[in-house]
């Protein structure tokens, strides 16, 4: 039995970017800097869509999003994530599912 790393399995999926129509947005980026100390989105997102930039700003890159909804659940305290499924034909294209 072979063992595969999660990263290897995720690499097999494809993502069709919907340019100009992100399905996730940070409602108020300043709130992430002023009120969120834990920045859980940067740790909990399995696709690594959230990163901390200079000055503590959260950078969101929706390319490669797994559409799992973790970010909207983890940001429950501030409710600062606007999340919806991508438009039809865009988003994650799972190879095995």
């Amino acid at each position: 039995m072979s063992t595969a790393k999660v990263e290897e399995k995720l690499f097999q999926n494809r993502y069709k970017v919907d340019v100009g129509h992100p399905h996730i947005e940070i409602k108020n980026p300043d709130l992430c800097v002023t009120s969120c100390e834990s920045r859980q989105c940067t740790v909990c997102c399995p696709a690594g869509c959230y990163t901390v930039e200079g000055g503590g700003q959260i950078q969101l890159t929706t390319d490669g999003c797994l559409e799992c909804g973790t970010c909207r659940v983890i940001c429950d305290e501030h409710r600062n994530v606007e999340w919806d499924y991508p438009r039809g034909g865009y988003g994650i294209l799972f190879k095995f599912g």
Side-chain angles (χ1 to χ4, degrees):
M1 178 200 254
S2 67
T3 59
K5 295 181 180 180
V6 173
E7 293 81 12
E8 293 170 356
K9 293 290 186 183
L10 289 176
F11 181 73
Q12 296 178 20
N13 297 321
R14 297 294 172 249
Y15 191 86
K16 187 172 180 184
V17 178
D18 191 3
V19 178
H21 296 94
H23 68 284
I24 306 171
E25 293 184 83
I26 298 174
K27 295 178 190 177
N28 180 358
D30 293 332
L31 184 67
C32 298
V33 176
T34 60
S35 299
C36 183
E37 293 179 23
S38 64
R39 295 181 174 85
Q40 295 179 55
C41 59
T42 62
V43 178
C44 295
C45 176
C49 293
Y50 296 84
T51 56
V52 179
E53 299 294 319
Q57 290 285 344
I58 301 294
Q59 177 68 38
L60 170 61
T61 306
T62 59
D63 302 1
C65 173
L66 299 174
E67 300 166 23
C68 64
T70 299
C71 56
R72 68 180 173 174
V73 172
I74 209 71
C75 190
D76 187 49
E77 180 182 346
H78 301 293
R79 300 189 187 277
N80 199 27
V81 174
E82 185 71 37
W83 189 97
D84 200 1
Y85 287 104
R87 297 186 307 161
Y90 293 96
I92 189 77
L93 306 169
F94 292 104
K95 183 174 181 178
F96 298 109

